[in-house]
Amino acid sequence: MLRLHKKYFYFTLLLFVIEVCIAIFVDDRFIRPFIGDVLVVILIYCFMRTFWTIKPAILALSVFVFACVIEILQYFNFVKVLGLEKYKIAVVVLGSSFDWKDIIAYAIGSATVLWLENSINKRVKS
C-alpha cells in the first residue's frame, strides 16, 4: 500500500544528513566504512517505509539482501564492468571493493531496524 509516513520520511532525511556528514568530514577506519554501512541499511529501510506499508521483517530482509547483492557485485568490479569508474557518484553509491565486514554491518543494521520496530510496537500495544 502506497502512502506517506512522515515519521519515516523524517528519519530518512536525518540519516541522509548523517551519512553525508560522515562522507564529508570523517576519514577513519571504523565510523566511515562500518557505521556508515550500518546506517545506510537503516536509511534505505526508512526510505522504503516512507512510501510503502510493508511488514518490518520482510522489508528488513529485502534491504539486507539488496545490500548484499550490491556488495557481491563489488567483488566482480561491477562499476568498471558498467564503465562507470570515472563517475565518482557511481563509485560512491555502488562501491568499489568487496569486504565481508560490510555484510556484517548490513546484518547489524537490519537487526537494529527489527529490534527498534519490535520495541516500538510493544510500547504502542501496551
Short mmCIF file of all heavy atoms in Angstrom, two decimals, residues 47-48 61 95 121:
data_model
loop_
_atom_site.label_atom_id
_atom_site.label_comp_id
_atom_site.label_asym_id
_atom_site.label_seq_id
_atom_site.Cartn_x
_atom_site.Cartn_y
_atom_site.Cartn_z
N PHE A 47 13.57 4.89 4.09
CA PHE A 47 13.10 5.45 2.81
C PHE A 47 11.96 4.60 2.25
O PHE A 47 10.93 5.14 1.83
CB PHE A 47 14.24 5.54 1.81
CG PHE A 47 13.80 6.04 0.46
CD1 PHE A 47 13.51 7.38 0.27
CD2 PHE A 47 13.65 5.16 -0.60
CE1 PHE A 47 13.09 7.85 -0.97
CE2 PHE A 47 13.23 5.62 -1.84
CZ PHE A 47 12.95 6.96 -2.03
N MET A 48 12.13 3.30 2.27
CA MET A 48 11.08 2.42 1.74
C MET A 48 9.81 2.51 2.59
O MET A 48 8.70 2.55 2.06
CB MET A 48 11.58 0.97 1.68
CG MET A 48 12.77 0.75 0.76
SD MET A 48 12.43 1.18 -0.94
CE MET A 48 11.36 -0.15 -1.39
N LEU A 61 14.63 -7.79 5.67
CA LEU A 61 15.31 -8.87 4.95
C LEU A 61 15.57 -8.47 3.50
O LEU A 61 16.64 -8.72 2.96
CB LEU A 61 14.48 -10.16 5.00
CG LEU A 61 15.08 -11.36 4.28
CD1 LEU A 61 16.44 -11.73 4.87
CD2 LEU A 61 14.12 -12.53 4.32
N GLY A 95 29.83 1.42 -4.75
CA GLY A 95 31.01 0.90 -4.08
C GLY A 95 32.01 0.34 -5.07
O GLY A 95 31.71 0.13 -6.24
N ASN A 121 6.65 -1.25 18.60
CA ASN A 121 5.35 -1.91 18.52
C ASN A 121 4.91 -2.45 19.87
O ASN A 121 3.72 -2.42 20.20
CB ASN A 121 5.38 -3.05 17.48
CG ASN A 121 5.39 -2.51 16.08
OD1 ASN A 121 5.00 -1.38 15.81
ND2 ASN A 121 5.88 -3.31 15.15
#
